[in-house]
Amino acid sequence: MTDEKRNTDIPSHSSSEPNKPAAKSRTDARATHAATAQSASDSKHVTRSKRKAEEKPVKKEEAVQKTRTKRKEKMETEELTETKPVRWVQIRILPIYVRVILVILLLIVAAVLGAVIGFSILGDGAASDIFQKDTWAHIFDIMSGKEK
């Protein structure tokens, strides 16, 4: 429907202008509404943003000064709290090289104990024979296939 086809009377709902005749077309009605809305906004109708602007007129220099002071305070507090408390510190009781030596020594002890248990309990020899050179020479000869 275009504006020319619809030529009905549109009643005006504006309470501020009751004697004004109704608009003849849609465009006239829109223009009338815009005019009444403009006159209503010019009246004492105050929005929240207008209220804020009226209550607190902030000068540019004051805002800049506040920002500068906040920045200075923040920097001062950061300088004071530069040494933050440490939550977790791993303290090594034994340095790495001591741990490596300890692991090697434990492996040697385990090998000696295994040889003592194997030679004396499982085998038919004495536990003190493990520490003799002839016993180890005999074991290596068996391993290499020189003796059977």
Side-chain angles (χ1 to χ4, degrees):
M1 285 183 160
T2 60
D3 292 337
E4 293 80 30
K5 291 181 181 177
R6 187 174 184 206
N7 288 328
T8 59
D9 289 341
I10 300 173
S12 176
H13 298 295
S14 175
S15 61
S16 63
E17 300 173 307
N19 298 332
K20 193 170 185 179
K24 297 291 180 186
S25 68
R26 215 183 265 176
T27 54
D28 292 338
R30 287 181 182 154
T32 307
H33 177 70
T36 57
Q38 182 63 30
S39 65
S41 68
D42 291 341
S43 67
K44 293 186 178 183
H45 180 71
V46 180
T47 61
R48 287 186 206 163
S49 59
K50 287 182 183 177
R51 239 183 268 137
K52 277 187 175 179
E54 289 173 1
E55 289 175 1
K56 296 182 179 180
V58 179
K59 294 181 181 178
K60 188 173 182 179
E61 295 100 22
E62 291 176 8
V64 170
Q65 189 64 27
K66 286 181 183 178
T67 306
R68 286 181 183 163
T69 56
K70 284 181 183 178
R71 285 183 187 162
K72 285 181 183 177
E73 291 172 0
K74 186 177 179 182
M75 289 181 70
E76 289 173 0
T77 56
E78 286 177 357
E79 288 174 359
L80 293 176
T81 60
E82 190 172 313
T83 56
K84 296 178 182 176
V86 180
R87 293 184 195 167
W88 175 262
V89 176
Q90 183 178 2
I91 300 173
R92 292 186 176 146
I93 297 171
L94 297 174
I96 298 290
Y97 66 90
V98 175
R99 290 181 189 182
V100 170
I101 293 172
L102 187 65
V103 168
I104 292 172
L105 287 176
L106 287 175
L107 285 174
I108 292 171
V109 168
V112 169
L113 284 176
V116 167
I117 291 171
F119 194 73
S120 64
I121 295 175
L122 298 177
D124 57 351
S128 61
D129 289 343
I130 290 291
F131 302 110
Q132 294 178 1
K133 186 177 180 181
D134 294 336
T135 305
W136 287 103
H138 179 68
I139 291 173
F140 285 124
D141 286 343
I142 293 173
M143 287 173 42
S144 64
K146 293 180 181 175
E147 276 187 44
K148 290 190 180 187

